[in-house]
Amino acid sequence: MIHIALEMLFGDRAKLIAIVIGVTFAALIMTQQPSIFVGLIMRTYAFLDDVPMPDVWVMDPGVDYVEEHKPLRETALGRVRGVDGVAWAVPMYKNLQTARLPDGQLKAINLTGVDDTSMIGGPPKVVAGSLGDLRRADGVILDVEAARRRLAWRDAEGVLHPLNIGDEFELNDRRAVVVAIAETSPDFILLPKVFTTYSRALDYAPRQARQLTYILVKAKEGEAPADLARRISTATGLKALTAYDFRWLTIGYWMRNTGIPINFGISVMLGFLVGAAVAGQSFFNFVRENLGQYAALKAMGLRNGVLVRMVLVQALVAGGIGYGMGVGLSAAFGTAMRGTVLAFAMRPELLAFSFAGVLLIVSVAALLGIRQVVQLDPAVVFRS
Amino acid sequence: MAALTASSGAASSGAAATAVMCRGVTKSFASAAGPVWALRGVDLEIPAGRVAMLVGPSGCGKTTLISVVAGILKRDAGTCHVFEADIEALPRRQQLDFRASTIGFIFQQFHLLPTLTVAHNVAVPLLINAVSRRHAIDRAHAMLEKVGLGGRGDDPPAQLSGGEQQRVAIARALVHAPKLIVCDEPTSALDHDTGMRIMALMRDVVVDEGATLLIVTHDNRIFPFADMMAHMDDGRIVDVRLNGGAAGAREALSGQ
């Protein structure tokens, strides 16, 4: 009888399309919106992903997220190096500064100073020049987006000039020469990223008593990073986190202190409700309009259990088509947006999430249909 | 109360088995003003292999009675046997199995599934009886040949005229070789000529298949096709008569 259920479903094109549209809409919103949300959240800790080498990040105890810059005294570096289990520890400078472009424009930039000797903390992929070029006088590395767009400047004729290797600009009135271009992961605030050596970064930055932003630590062979982080915290009074814990600290900050999860949650809920209403109502009507046929089948001796299976199959197939189309559209959206500023990360967990949402819609729709069919009195077929 | 019994006239056709035997059947429906009695003690006996008609004014209980006979409605009191089986006394699952295998239905509004082909519609009772799909479709096509719709099996019902749809309903009622066919107002949606032809077809096919036909009707044009007629009024059978049967059918057709 299952093929009869399917022929009933596919034979009523208008209802099928309405059900599928409802489920597709819900699946699309429940996949696409969380994908954008996850993409945005991933950007809040993108910097950590670009610096994979250290096991432990040491910072001021008041730091709550990656882009919060609360500098330490230089002496902290020596104290951390003295903790048992530390293989190496290097300094990192990270703060917002101001760049003056050749056309006189002032632009905020995100300046990172990496260890002068090891270059640990540098950009993950240098696409023009090399990391070692940072050793050249006044050398800085720009990320691709900064070089091409965000730090591009216009001449008197209005012609746009991207910054290339060899070009110069000023950082806090000091000369900076582009020596390399690098690809980096887009972050949340999307400021131009400028990399230089730690010591040169201190020269560019206004003089302060505390200028060390992070200490990057590698654990000795066999040392558990979490244990080492605890030991560093105890020994120095500083906050020491594994990269994993720092990531979750950052996520927690954005989740707690911004309206982003609520806004996306509302979108997802609306998508779910609208999709559920359209799909549920359409499926309810589909079953209702076929009640005469179901009653005839019941009169002819078809069991309720078989009818329930038929309705379930109809709901699941319509829901499955809608889910596939919704997820497919979401994936197409993500593909179309690749390379743009839009954050989008369609992870398998999100597919499971939207699948659960669609399953809930389908279950409710099926229950509404099943209730009608099970309670249906077959004697109605004899009432004209 | 009157009853049509084998001894009251059908004896002339031989010692036929009893298809339907009801005794003292009552049925009421609840309403705000108290119970409304649809059946007030019905006695009815229909020998097997006959065409029996239940006639009477609207609301007299005809439809309720065939629903009780078919085991679709529960009676309040009395007994009702179909081929010696008391459907109501059977466990729920066996009730459905009995109905699926022993009774065929022809509904006033046909209730064909519009999205299935004609052959698939006819095959439905076989599928309910767990016959394989391929075998069911083969038998459905054979039955469609029998009702004059050979070659239309792959059409959707909507492409058929009202008379042709009724033929499909007849084929569906007969395809699983039920012993009793319950038929509700088979000609109410058909014009006179089509109605006569359908009745002739039903009579021929049902007699050919050896089944018993129980028809509820208001349509006095088809009365000649009955072997026996039970008149109902106010929830009771008030008169039972033998009828022309095959001869009457011939007369009715020749008089068109």
Side-chain angles (χ1 to χ4, degrees):
Chain A
M1 297 302 292
I2 296 303
H3 76 278
I4 286 181
L6 293 177
E7 289 194 36
M8 287 171 75
L9 179 69
F10 287 105
D12 191 344
R13 294 264 168 83
K15 290 281 183 314
L16 177 61
I17 289 170
I19 299 164
V20 167
I21 284 175
V23 176
T24 300
F25 178 77
L28 172 64
I29 299 297
M30 287 191 295
T31 310
Q32 183 235 33
Q33 289 292 303
S35 295
I36 295 174
F37 171 70
V38 169
L40 280 176
I41 289 298
M42 286 171 74
R43 285 188 177 183
T44 64
Y45 59 80
F47 181 70
L48 297 180
D49 291 342
D50 280 353
V51 186
M53 203 178 281
D55 294 322
V56 176
W57 292 67
V58 182
M59 65 208 82
D60 182 271
V63 170
D64 278 333
Y65 60 101
V66 170
E67 298 296 339
E68 187 171 34
H69 310 125
K70 292 183 176 173
L72 309 167
R73 289 186 186 281
E74 291 282 337
T75 53
L77 181 59
R79 287 158 55 208
V80 169
R81 283 176 172 155
V83 175
D84 190 31
V86 172
W88 50 253
V90 295
M92 172 178 271
Y93 174 88
K94 188 163 169 56
N95 213 332
L96 305 185
Q97 298 297 341
T98 304
R100 182 188 294 275
L101 303 181
D103 61 357
Q105 275 191 86
L106 296 176
K107 292 267 184 166
I109 56 109
N110 201 333
L111 179 64
T112 302
V114 305
D115 181 48
D116 291 45
T117 311
S118 65
M119 299 287 173
I120 290 170
K125 186 179 178 188
V126 177
V127 294
S130 72
L131 196 55
D133 291 338
L134 276 184
R135 296 195 175 90
R136 288 162 54 186
D138 301 325
V140 295
I141 299 176
L142 302 183
D143 77 283
V144 173
E145 271 296 296
R148 284 187 191 156
R149 220 160 49 83
R150 298 202 177 96
L151 295 182
W153 58 280
R154 288 185 189 281
D155 61 21
E157 281 79 41
V159 179
L160 195 65
H161 295 274
L163 288 178
N164 291 308
I165 291 175
D167 290 344
E168 296 182 10
F169 60 99
E170 291 179 7
L171 277 176
N172 289 333
D173 299 327
R174 282 179 53 89
R175 176 175 174 263
V177 180
V178 179
V179 294
I181 309 288
E183 276 181 4
T184 61
S185 303
D187 62 13
F188 192 76
I189 53 178
L190 291 173
L191 283 177
K193 280 178 255 183
V194 179
F195 295 86
T196 189
T197 59
Y198 179 74
S199 57
R200 195 175 299 129
L202 298 189
D203 290 340
Y204 284 133
R207 183 62 59 189
Q208 290 176 314
R210 297 164 183 251
Q211 290 189 296
L212 173 60
T213 313
Y214 294 118
I215 300 169
L216 314 185
V217 177
K218 187 72 179 175
K220 281 183 178 168
E221 190 75 26
E223 184 75 45
D227 292 343
L228 178 60
R230 268 193 296 277
R231 221 162 32 246
I232 292 171
S233 268
T234 306
T236 63
L238 301 173
K239 183 177 276 184
L241 298 170
T242 62
Y244 179 83
D245 290 339
F246 197 11
R247 174 186 298 181
W248 280 104
L249 180 77
T250 302
I251 292 172
Y253 173 84
W254 288 97
M255 298 285 274
R256 282 192 310 276
N257 296 292
T258 68
I260 296 172
I262 296 168
N263 290 336
F264 279 94
I266 289 170
S267 297
V268 168
M269 187 53 73
L270 280 176
F272 174 82
L273 289 176
V274 172
V278 173
Q281 181 67 45
S282 303
F283 192 74
F284 182 83
N285 288 343
F286 167 75
V287 173
R288 192 172 199 81
E289 286 182 14
N290 283 299
L291 279 182
Q293 276 72 33
Y294 288 122
L297 292 172
K298 280 182 101 165
M300 285 190 268
L302 192 65
R303 292 174 189 160
N304 267 338
V306 178
L307 281 169
V308 166
R309 279 206 295 278
M310 288 172 69
V311 173
L312 267 179
V313 164
Q314 288 166 339
L316 286 172
V317 168
I321 294 169
Y323 175 72
M325 288 179 65
V327 167
L329 284 173
S330 184
F333 173 84
T335 305
M337 292 295 120
R338 191 173 291 163
T340 69
V341 292
L342 188 85
F344 191 87
M346 199 165 114
R347 298 172 69 92
E349 297 91 328
L350 298 181
L351 297 184
F353 169 77
S354 58
F355 181 78
V358 166
L359 204 57
L360 188 58
I361 291 172
V362 166
S363 302
V364 171
L367 278 177
L368 290 172
I370 286 168
R371 190 166 167 269
Q372 293 182 85
V373 167
V374 168
Q375 292 180 344
L376 179 64
D377 178 4
V380 298
V381 290
F382 288 126
R383 295 175 202 140
S384 55
Chain B
M1 275 172 280
L4 176 67
T5 65
S7 59
S8 69
S12 59
S13 64
T18 302
V20 176
M21 169 80 83
C22 294
R23 290 280 179 263
V25 173
T26 64
K27 176 67 186 175
S28 64
F29 296 98
S31 78
V36 176
W37 290 93
L39 301 177
R40 297 172 182 270
V42 171
D43 292 340
L44 176 67
E45 187 176 342
I46 304 171
R50 300 300 175 89
V51 177
M53 288 189 189
L54 278 175
V55 299
S58 293
C60 69
K62 305 185 295 291
T63 298
T64 304
L65 181 56
I66 60 166
S67 298
V68 168
V69 167
I72 291 172
L73 270 184
K74 284 193 173 182
R75 60 189 181 259
D76 293 345
T79 61
C80 194
H81 291 80
V82 174
F83 292 99
E84 300 184 347
D86 181 352
I87 300 178
E88 250 187 73
L90 296 172
R92 172 79 184 146
R93 181 163 280 207
Q94 285 181 34
Q95 281 183 32
L96 293 172
D97 289 345
F98 184 86
R99 203 155 75 214
S101 62
T102 310
I103 303 176
F105 292 90
I106 301 172
F107 307 112
Q108 182 177 358
Q109 293 173 334
F110 314 148
H111 285 299
L112 301 176
L113 292 160
T115 54
L116 301 188
T117 63
V118 164
H120 269 94
N121 266 287
V122 173
V124 164
L126 294 169
L127 298 171
I128 292 174
N129 282 292
V131 174
S132 74
R133 193 174 161 194
R134 176 179 289 186
H135 192 196
I137 295 293
D138 288 346
R139 280 172 62 179
H141 279 291
M143 187 52 72
L144 283 168
E145 286 280 352
K146 214 165 196 170
V147 299
L149 288 175
R152 303 299 301 271
D154 295 329
D155 292 340
Q159 285 185 10
L160 273 55
S161 67
E164 288 171 328
Q165 290 189 30
Q166 186 64 295
R167 288 178 192 218
V168 176
I170 292 168
R172 182 178 65 183
L174 291 168
V175 73
H176 57 307
K179 291 196 279 186
L180 172 66
I181 293 156
V182 176
C183 190
D184 186 27
E185 302 282 4
T187 55
S188 66
L190 306 176
D191 62 60
H192 177 266
D193 289 353
T194 308
M196 293 299 109
R197 280 200 298 275
I198 287 292
M199 279 309 302
L201 173 73
M202 275 173 57
R203 222 201 123 78
D204 287 351
V205 176
V206 168
V207 168
D208 189 38
E209 296 286 327
T212 304
L213 187 58
L214 174 57
I215 298 173
V216 164
T217 185
H218 279 101
D219 186 356
N220 56 12
R221 298 169 303 172
I222 66 169
F223 289 175
F225 289 89
D227 292 317
M228 53 199 69
M229 295 179 61
H231 291 259
M232 287 191 75
D233 193 16
D234 195 23
R236 295 181 178 87
I237 290 180
V238 294
D239 186 28
V240 176
R241 289 183 186 172
L242 292 179
N243 209 11
R250 279 193 297 276
E251 275 177 33
L253 284 170
S254 63
Q256 276 186 58

